[in-house]
Each structure stands twice: as structure tokens, then as C-alpha cells.
Amino acid sequence: MSSPETPAAPATADIGVVGLAVMGSNLARNFARHGHTVALFNRTATRTRELVAEHGGDGDFVPSEDLAAFVASLKRPRRILLMVKAGDATDATIESLIPHLEPGDIVVDGGNSFFRDTIRREAALKEKGLLFVGAGISGGEEGALNGPAIMPGGPAESYASLGPLLESIAAHVDGVPCCVHVGPDGAGHFVKMVHNGIEYADMQLIGEAYDLLRQGLDASPAELGDIFADWDTGDLESFLIEITAEVLHHTDAATGKPFIDVVVDQAGQKGTGRWTVQNALDLGVPVTGIAEATFARALSSSLPQREAARKLLPDDAEPFAIEDHKQFIEDVRSALYASKVVAYSQGFDQIAAASAEYGWNIDRGAMARIWRGGCIIRARFLNRITEAYERDSDLPLLLADPYFTEAVANGLAAWRRVVAQAARSGVPAPAFASSLAYYDGLRAQRSSAALIQGQRDLFGAHTYARVDKPGTFHTLWSGDRTEVEA
């Protein structure tokens, strides 16, 4: 597949980066800082020149303004990291590279691509003798520069060549790189998708905790920032709790008001949360916390509906009357911790279901281990999740691990008080409430599903099973209502 027009050039670069926006530039600089020679290419050559001019001191860069020269500057097997917009742009970039590549070369998609697209691309490039890797990369622009969490999938043989490079630039916790080969074809991008879904739930839960505390305590954002900063020293210690305190402490320079009060209350999203929920529906896995968080973002941007509701819908809510502020703060903290555990438990259930569905053999303990550093959802309690899967790699439910069973049980009464208080006072807390309902649904000895099965059999002859004998049955509802074996 080498192009005869490819100009001769010294093949000195260890890895090439295509796409030099903030994430691509920072990853290129990260590689260079770790002693790797990095080939650079961007569709707009100006950006390549700017990177070298501004950050050439970070290490050895080989810039190219021609794609053929870029490929020729790479050592074999060539390792190329694509940091371009997911979707059509990724496909177009791959197509432009193929004529210049040789069998055994490795193309890595480091964007937020949909995992089914990664499966398709991996199969197509395999036919050409090329190795394609879908790598989830988490940590934002700071992580890209200083050490992200990296979730590469694709052919196992690709990791022998690619793995040491990725591990060198990844975050490290306890001397362990936050990077591991996840599994075949789309496994890496799938795990990154679920990571982002958990991130949605985590952020929504923190937002609900903030809202309840602000309304219940009538506290200033700065005072609430102090509470979150205190929480960041305990079991809730995490990147998201840390930055929550930072945001709440920030004052808007233009107005002198708390920054949080000048921000429009409409949350954006780029699609990974929706993908997580859609896939969970396909797999039949309940990810209620992630789903409610995704819908909450959509609701926040439903402006005509919200405007109509403000004018017309009564609240009939009880005003907050918190007598013991310290206890209320502790209740919200406990509810937040329990609900976070549920979100992670649901996410790991989804990973397990997809791993079985697609034959990926994903190690859930390894995923928890690499999420401990670099990524957006990095948190102290990921150590506990890692330990849970080390105790039992086939753990059917994270909440069933003794540590998490006890931790959630200790906060259960507080969790119930918080959800009840939110309902009485008219404060929306969908992620708190749905997480508690999921917990209660799991532990229920009998659920309302028995009635639903009866209804389904009556209107559609969908049949049912019995508790007292094996088999599948149908009642002749329109006849004499005798039961027949289906």
C-alpha cells in the first residue's frame, strides 16, 4: 500500500499525531516530554507551525505539511494517533492515510468515536493488513498533557508495539500506569463511552447535592464550596468534587457576583451519555442514574417547556426548615456517596453485559484500576472497586461486595431522608431518587413485575412463569380462564 510518490525521508519518529487541536497538541507534547520523537500533521499547516514554534522545547518533533512526508518520517511499524473529530472526519482521515501505509502499521483513533464505528473500521483495515485501535482517552486537555487514563482496544498484537508508548504518557497511580489493553475491536471505545456515562451521573448527583444544600441551608456558593472542599478530604475525594469546590469559590470578575450565579442553567452534552443509555437499553441493563442524568441535561435545555412551566405549574411544596444544619450536610453527603456507588455499579454491569455480548473478556478490575488517575471520574473509592474485583473477578453486582454493602447500608437512612426532603420541598433530585429506587428494586423480595406479566398475558397472550412449578403458561382470559401450558 505504499505510495510510489511518497518522498524519501528519514524515518525517525516513534509515533505520529494527526490533528493538532488542544487534545492532539497536548498529547503530542506529552509524548515528546517522555523522550519520544513525534511526527506532526494537521490539515491546516499553520497549526503545525504554531505548535513547533511555541512548544518545540518540549522534545523532538518532526513536522510535515504533506501527509506522504508525515508517514515517511515514521519508524516501522508506523504508529499513528488520530485526534480528529469523530464521525465522517475520522473516516476521511483514515482513507487519506491508507495509500501511504504498509501491512503491520497501526492506526489509533483517540477521539470519542462510537464503538460500533470502531468495530467497522477495525474490520475494514484488517482486510488491508493494517491494525486499527480505538483508544478511549480521558482527562481533558490537562490530562492529555500531564497524564491521561487511556483505554485502547483493538488487536492484541498491536499492544506489544503501542502499549509501552501509551503507558509512558499515561497517569500513574502507585507506580501502575492508567493504561491497559481493554479487549478486541470496539472494547476500548465502549469502556470510554460507559466511563462518560458514569461521569454524567456523577456530575448530576453533585449538582443535586449542591442544589439541596443551597436551598436547604440558604448558604452562599462560597460557603458551599467549603463544604465540598471538606468532602474532598474523605470518602468522596475525587477530581469532580475538587473542581466543584473550585467553581463554587470562584467570583465573576465582571460583576463581582458568585460565578455560579452568572452561568446559564442549561447543560450541554456531546452524545456519549445518550450512547450509553441507548446501548444499555439494547443490552437490557438498567443504568437508571446515567439515564436520569442524561435526561436532566436535556430538560435543562428544554426552554419552551421550562418557560411554560414557570408560569403555570404550581409547586405545593413545603419550605425547608432545617434545624440541624450539620446533620443535613451529613445526610446529603451520605446520599451522594450511596448514589455514586449505584452509578458505578450500573456502569460496571453494562461493561460486563457488553463483554459477554461481544466476546471481549473485559477485566472490570483493570478498568477500575486505570480510572484511579488521569481521568475525569478519578476518585478515592475506585481503589475500593479495584479491591472488590480482586476479591471476586466474577462479582455479579458491585453493591454485593461486602465493603459496598456495608457502606451503602450505613447511609441508607440518610439517603431516604434526603430523597423525601427533596420531594416535599419540590427540589428536583432525579438521580438521587432513581438510584434509591434501583437499590430498593434490587433488594425487593417480590416486585410489581408479577402484575405486569399478568397484564401482558391478558392483553397479548405473552405467557408467564409460576413460582410453584417449572414451565411457561397462559390463562384463557377470554374463555373459561383455565390455565394451559404454553
Side-chain angles (χ1 to χ4, degrees):
M1 277 176 283
S2 293
S3 168
E5 288 79 24
T6 300
T12 59
D14 301 304
I15 190 165
V17 179
V18 177
L20 301 176
V22 175
M23 284 291 291
S25 294
N26 282 3
L27 286 166
R29 293 174 60 196
N30 193 348
F31 280 118
R33 288 178 175 185
H34 284 83
H36 307 297
T37 300
V38 186
L40 304 172
F41 178 80
N42 193 77
R43 185 172 56 86
T44 305
T46 304
R47 193 178 293 273
T48 308
R49 299 188 203 109
E50 289 173 349
L51 173 59
V52 175
E54 295 174 13
H55 303 292
D58 282 343
D60 295 327
F61 295 110
V62 183
S64 297
E65 297 186 7
D66 172 78
L67 198 58
F70 164 78
V71 173
S73 70
L74 290 159
K75 297 175 184 177
R76 292 175 173 79
R78 301 177 179 99
R79 293 165 292 194
I80 300 172
L81 173 62
L82 308 184
M83 294 302 299
V84 299
K85 187 176 180 180
D88 293 343
T90 299
D91 284 322
T93 303
I94 292 170
E95 288 301 313
S96 67
L97 278 169
I98 286 174
H100 306 292
L101 301 179
E102 297 175 344
D105 289 345
I106 304 169
V107 178
V108 185
D109 174 13
N112 272 334
S113 292
F114 186 46
F115 78 96
R116 292 189 189 279
D117 288 338
T118 303
I119 293 173
R120 168 178 58 80
R121 291 166 183 151
E122 195 271 341
L125 267 65
K126 184 177 182 180
E127 292 181 357
K128 302 178 184 297
L130 302 172
L131 301 176
F132 184 76
V133 172
I137 301 176
S138 178
E141 58 187 79
E142 181 182 347
L145 182 61
N146 299 315
I150 309 177
M151 297 150 259
E157 59 265 35
S158 67
Y159 201 75
S161 171
L162 185 65
L165 276 168
L166 298 182
E167 290 180 9
S168 72
I169 70 161
H172 284 64
V173 176
D174 298 331
V176 178
C178 296
C179 175
V180 70
H181 181 249
V182 177
D185 52 69
H189 273 147
F190 183 91
V191 166
K192 175 56 163 56
M193 177 190 76
V194 174
H195 163 286
N196 285 20
I198 294 172
E199 180 184 309
Y200 274 51
D202 208 340
M203 294 173 72
Q204 176 65 25
L205 288 165
I206 292 171
E208 292 176 14
Y210 152 77
D211 199 12
L212 283 162
L213 289 173
R214 186 160 192 188
Q215 296 199 46
L217 303 177
D218 193 25
S220 70
E223 290 170 328
L224 297 178
D226 292 341
I227 292 172
F228 279 95
D230 179 63
W231 287 355
D232 195 42
T233 64
D235 288 341
L236 283 173
E237 179 189 346
S238 67
F239 173 70
L240 286 171
I241 293 290
E242 175 189 343
I243 66 170
T244 297
E246 188 173 346
V247 169
L248 291 173
H249 280 136
H250 184 55
T251 299
D252 176 55
T255 64
K257 296 179 179 179
F259 169 76
I260 191 70
D261 289 341
V262 301
V263 176
V264 175
D265 60 341
Q266 299 170 37
Q269 54 182 306
K270 292 188 175 179
T272 46
R274 289 196 300 270
W275 290 347
T276 305
V277 176
Q278 289 163 354
N279 174 261
L281 290 170
D282 291 339
L283 293 172
V285 177
V287 292
T288 55
I290 297 170
E292 288 295 350
T294 305
F295 290 135
R297 292 196 188 190
L299 178 60
S300 75
S301 297
S302 299
L303 301 186
Q305 292 87 347
R306 290 183 67 191
E307 184 62 26
R310 288 191 191 103
K311 294 176 180 177
L312 299 173
L313 302 186
D315 62 17
D316 196 24
E318 299 176 5
F320 278 96
I322 307 299
E323 296 181 0
D324 189 336
H325 285 202
K326 186 176 180 180
Q327 182 62 56
F328 182 62
I329 293 169
E330 176 57 22
D331 280 358
V332 175
R333 188 203 66 80
S334 296
L336 177 56
Y337 188 79
S339 297
K340 281 164 65 77
V341 172
V342 167
Y344 281 77
S345 184
Q346 292 177 347
F348 279 104
D349 281 351
Q350 186 170 358
I351 289 172
S355 182
E357 176 76 14
Y358 297 105
W360 286 335
N361 195 30
I362 296 174
D363 181 346
R364 289 174 293 171
M367 298 306 99
R369 192 176 305 114
I370 67 172
W371 288 350
R372 295 181 302 165
C375 71
I376 301 301
I377 64 172
R378 59 185 182 268
R380 176 190 292 190
F381 91 145
L382 279 161
N383 287 312
R384 298 291 191 177
I385 297 177
T386 302
E387 293 165 3
Y389 287 116
E390 286 175 349
R391 284 190 288 271
D392 181 0
S393 60
D394 296 321
L395 186 66
L397 175 72
L398 184 61
L399 284 162
D401 175 77
Y403 170 81
F404 289 110
T405 299
E406 181 179 1
V408 173
N410 288 340
L412 187 56
W415 197 5
R416 296 194 189 283
R417 285 195 295 269
V418 167
V419 171
Q421 179 69 65
R424 286 196 305 270
S425 300
V427 179
F432 275 152
S434 67
S435 299
L436 179 58
Y438 172 83
Y439 177 89
D440 284 333
L442 283 176
R443 63 164 197 81
Q445 298 301 311
R446 287 279 289 172
S447 77
S448 59
L451 176 59
I452 293 171
Q453 283 300 88
Q455 293 169 333
R456 294 179 72 242
D457 188 61
L458 190 152
F459 69 67
H462 292 297
T463 73
Y464 53 88
R466 294 179 60 98
V467 298
D468 53 358
K469 59 182 177 181
T472 304
F473 303 91
H474 168 59
T475 292
L476 302 176
W477 298 99
S478 298
D480 61 4
R481 301 204 170 190
T482 57
E483 183 178 80
V484 297
E485 194 162 359

